[in-house]
PDB file of all heavy atoms in Angstrom:
ATOM      1  N   TYR D  40      67.168 107.627 130.012  1.00 98.00           N
ATOM      2  CA  TYR D  40      66.514 106.827 131.102  1.00 98.00           C
ATOM      3  C   TYR D  40      65.027 107.136 131.137  1.00 98.00           C
ATOM      4  O   TYR D  40      64.192 106.180 131.173  1.00 98.00           O
ATOM      5  CB  TYR D  40      67.123 107.214 132.461  1.00 98.00           C
ATOM      6  CG  TYR D  40      66.624 106.437 133.598  1.00 98.00           C
ATOM      7  CD1 TYR D  40      67.337 105.385 134.163  1.00 98.00           C
ATOM      8  CD2 TYR D  40      65.414 106.800 134.210  1.00 98.00           C
ATOM      9  CE1 TYR D  40      66.835 104.677 135.268  1.00 98.00           C
ATOM     10  CE2 TYR D  40      64.912 106.102 135.321  1.00 98.00           C
ATOM     11  CZ  TYR D  40      65.592 105.053 135.834  1.00 98.00           C
ATOM     12  OH  TYR D  40      65.114 104.359 136.883  1.00 98.00           O
ATOM     13  N   LEU D  41      64.666 108.378 131.055  1.00 98.00           N
ATOM     14  CA  LEU D  41      63.259 108.763 131.069  1.00 98.00           C
ATOM     15  C   LEU D  41      62.486 108.138 129.923  1.00 98.00           C
ATOM     16  O   LEU D  41      61.410 107.533 130.122  1.00 98.00           O
ATOM     17  CB  LEU D  41      63.137 110.300 130.982  1.00 98.00           C
ATOM     18  CG  LEU D  41      61.717 110.851 130.683  1.00 98.00           C
ATOM     19  CD1 LEU D  41      60.783 110.614 131.871  1.00 98.00           C
ATOM     20  CD2 LEU D  41      61.769 112.357 130.355  1.00 98.00           C
ATOM     21  N   LEU D  42      63.026 108.182 128.730  1.00 98.00           N
ATOM     22  CA  LEU D  42      62.349 107.648 127.558  1.00 98.00           C
ATOM     23  C   LEU D  42      62.176 106.130 127.679  1.00 98.00           C
ATOM     24  O   LEU D  42      61.139 105.639 127.371  1.00 98.00           O
ATOM     25  CB  LEU D  42      63.209 107.981 126.252  1.00 98.00           C
ATOM     26  CG  LEU D  42      62.588 107.433 124.964  1.00 98.00           C
ATOM     27  CD1 LEU D  42      61.287 108.039 124.646  1.00 98.00           C
ATOM     28  CD2 LEU D  42      63.596 107.654 123.824  1.00 98.00           C
ATOM     29  N   LEU D  43      63.203 105.423 128.149  1.00 98.00           N
ATOM     30  CA  LEU D  43      63.193 103.991 128.217  1.00 98.00           C
ATOM     31  C   LEU D  43      62.345 103.493 129.409  1.00 98.00           C
ATOM     32  O   LEU D  43      61.740 102.449 129.350  1.00 98.00           O
ATOM     33  CB  LEU D  43      64.582 103.380 128.287  1.00 98.00           C
ATOM     34  CG  LEU D  43      65.468 103.574 127.053  1.00 98.00           C
ATOM     35  CD1 LEU D  43      66.844 102.927 127.335  1.00 98.00           C
ATOM     36  CD2 LEU D  43      64.862 102.870 125.848  1.00 98.00           C
ATOM     37  N   ARG D  44      62.329 104.279 130.496  1.00 96.00           N
ATOM     38  CA  ARG D  44      61.687 103.762 131.742  1.00 96.00           C
ATOM     39  C   ARG D  44      60.383 104.406 132.122  1.00 96.00           C
ATOM     40  O   ARG D  44      59.566 103.879 132.859  1.00 96.00           O
ATOM     41  CB  ARG D  44      62.668 103.947 132.939  1.00 96.00           C
ATOM     42  CG  ARG D  44      63.724 102.926 133.035  1.00 96.00           C
ATOM     43  CD  ARG D  44      63.141 101.554 133.251  1.00 96.00           C
ATOM     44  NE  ARG D  44      62.824 101.284 134.639  1.00 96.00           N
ATOM     45  CZ  ARG D  44      63.700 100.949 135.566  1.00 96.00           C
ATOM     46  NH1 ARG D  44      64.937 100.874 135.301  1.00 96.00           N
ATOM     47  NH2 ARG D  44      63.276 100.733 136.819  1.00 96.00           N
ATOM     48  N   GLY D  45      60.190 105.620 131.621  1.00 97.00           N
ATOM     49  CA  GLY D  45      58.882 106.284 131.864  1.00 97.00           C
ATOM     50  C   GLY D  45      58.998 107.278 132.977  1.00 97.00           C
ATOM     51  O   GLY D  45      58.009 108.017 133.248  1.00 97.00           O
ATOM     52  N   ASP D  46      60.114 107.378 133.643  1.00 96.00           N
ATOM     53  CA  ASP D  46      60.234 108.356 134.762  1.00 96.00           C
ATOM     54  C   ASP D  46      61.670 108.803 134.840  1.00 96.00           C
ATOM     55  O   ASP D  46      62.596 108.213 134.267  1.00 96.00           O
ATOM     56  CB  ASP D  46      59.779 107.738 136.044  1.00 96.00           C
ATOM     57  CG  ASP D  46      58.750 108.742 136.727  1.00 96.00           C
ATOM     58  OD1 ASP D  46      58.999 109.971 136.654  1.00 96.00           O
ATOM     59  OD2 ASP D  46      57.767 108.250 137.249  1.00 96.00           O
ATOM     60  N   LEU D  47      61.895 109.879 135.613  1.00 97.00           N
ATOM     61  CA  LEU D  47      63.221 110.416 135.728  1.00 97.00           C
ATOM     62  C   LEU D  47      64.064 109.430 136.585  1.00 97.00           C
ATOM     63  O   LEU D  47      63.506 108.807 137.448  1.00 97.00           O
ATOM     64  CB  LEU D  47      63.186 111.781 136.434  1.00 97.00           C
ATOM     65  CG  LEU D  47      62.475 112.866 135.614  1.00 97.00           C
ATOM     66  CD1 LEU D  47      62.322 114.180 136.448  1.00 97.00           C
ATOM     67  CD2 LEU D  47      63.275 113.174 134.355  1.00 97.00           C
ATOM     68  N   PRO D  48      65.342 109.390 136.347  1.00 96.00           N
ATOM     69  CA  PRO D  48      66.168 108.468 137.149  1.00 96.00           C
ATOM     70  C   PRO D  48      66.274 108.968 138.568  1.00 96.00           C
ATOM     71  O   PRO D  48      66.358 110.154 138.851  1.00 96.00           O
ATOM     72  CB  PRO D  48      67.560 108.571 136.411  1.00 96.00           C
ATOM     73  CG  PRO D  48      67.531 109.869 135.712  1.00 96.00           C
ATOM     74  CD  PRO D  48      66.138 110.173 135.369  1.00 96.00           C
ATOM     75  N   PRO D  49      66.428 108.006 139.516  1.00 93.00           N
ATOM     76  CA  PRO D  49      66.675 108.445 140.900  1.00 93.00           C
ATOM     77  C   PRO D  49      68.098 109.054 140.979  1.00 93.00           C
ATOM     78  O   PRO D  49      68.957 108.705 140.184  1.00 93.00           O
ATOM     79  CB  PRO D  49      66.706 107.077 141.650  1.00 93.00           C
ATOM     80  CG  PRO D  49      66.938 106.010 140.617  1.00 93.00           C
ATOM     81  CD  PRO D  49      66.352 106.558 139.357  1.00 93.00           C
ATOM     82  N   ALA D  50      68.212 109.983 141.898  1.00 88.00           N
ATOM     83  CA  ALA D  50      69.494 110.790 141.925  1.00 88.00           C
ATOM     84  C   ALA D  50      70.761 109.946 141.845  1.00 88.00           C
ATOM     85  O   ALA D  50      71.674 110.251 141.021  1.00 88.00           O
ATOM     86  CB  ALA D  50      69.472 111.620 143.182  1.00 88.00           C
ATOM     87  N   PRO D  51      70.887 108.901 142.611  1.00 85.00           N
ATOM     88  CA  PRO D  51      72.163 108.180 142.585  1.00 85.00           C
ATOM     89  C   PRO D  51      72.498 107.522 141.249  1.00 85.00           C
ATOM     90  O   PRO D  51      73.633 107.289 140.908  1.00 85.00           O
ATOM     91  CB  PRO D  51      72.036 107.091 143.625  1.00 85.00           C
ATOM     92  CG  PRO D  51      70.606 107.031 144.003  1.00 85.00           C
ATOM     93  CD  PRO D  51      69.975 108.309 143.588  1.00 85.00           C
ATOM     94  N   ALA D  52      71.446 107.248 140.421  1.00 88.00           N
ATOM     95  CA  ALA D  52      71.661 106.579 139.174  1.00 88.00           C
ATOM     96  C   ALA D  52      72.230 107.479 138.114  1.00 88.00           C
ATOM     97  O   ALA D  52      72.764 106.989 137.100  1.00 88.00           O
ATOM     98  CB  ALA D  52      70.338 105.962 138.660  1.00 88.00           C
ATOM     99  N   ARG D  53      72.127 108.795 138.273  1.00 90.00           N
ATOM    100  CA  ARG D  53      72.435 109.699 137.202  1.00 90.00           C
ATOM    101  C   ARG D  53      73.861 109.602 136.673  1.00 90.00           C
ATOM    102  O   ARG D  53      74.045 109.365 135.491  1.00 90.00           O
ATOM    103  CB  ARG D  53      72.082 111.149 137.588  1.00 90.00           C
ATOM    104  CG  ARG D  53      70.585 111.343 137.687  1.00 90.00           C
ATOM    105  CD  ARG D  53      70.156 112.698 138.089  1.00 90.00           C
ATOM    106  NE  ARG D  53      68.818 112.613 138.595  1.00 90.00           N
ATOM    107  CZ  ARG D  53      68.134 113.635 139.158  1.00 90.00           C
ATOM    108  NH1 ARG D  53      68.753 114.763 139.318  1.00 90.00           N
ATOM    109  NH2 ARG D  53      66.908 113.466 139.613  1.00 90.00           N
ATOM    110  N   ALA D  54      74.835 109.754 137.549  1.00 88.00           N
ATOM    111  CA  ALA D  54      76.201 109.704 137.127  1.00 88.00           C
ATOM    112  C   ALA D  54      76.551 108.288 136.607  1.00 88.00           C
ATOM    113  O   ALA D  54      77.375 108.098 135.685  1.00 88.00           O
ATOM    114  CB  ALA D  54      77.127 110.113 138.233  1.00 88.00           C
ATOM    115  N   LEU D  55      75.870 107.292 137.214  1.00 95.00           N
ATOM    116  CA  LEU D  55      76.096 105.951 136.817  1.00 95.00           C
ATOM    117  C   LEU D  55      75.679 105.669 135.377  1.00 95.00           C
ATOM    118  O   LEU D  55      76.397 104.932 134.658  1.00 95.00           O
ATOM    119  CB  LEU D  55      75.315 105.055 137.776  1.00 95.00           C
ATOM    120  CG  LEU D  55      75.858 103.629 138.007  1.00 95.00           C
ATOM    121  CD1 LEU D  55      77.284 103.671 138.383  1.00 95.00           C
ATOM    122  CD2 LEU D  55      75.023 102.922 139.065  1.00 95.00           C
TER     123      LEU D  55
END
Side-chain angles (χ1 to χ4, degrees):
Chain D
Y40 182 101
L41 169 66
L42 178 64
L43 293 178
R44 280 298 278 281
D46 230 321
L47 295 173
R53 289 179 200 172
L55 206 53

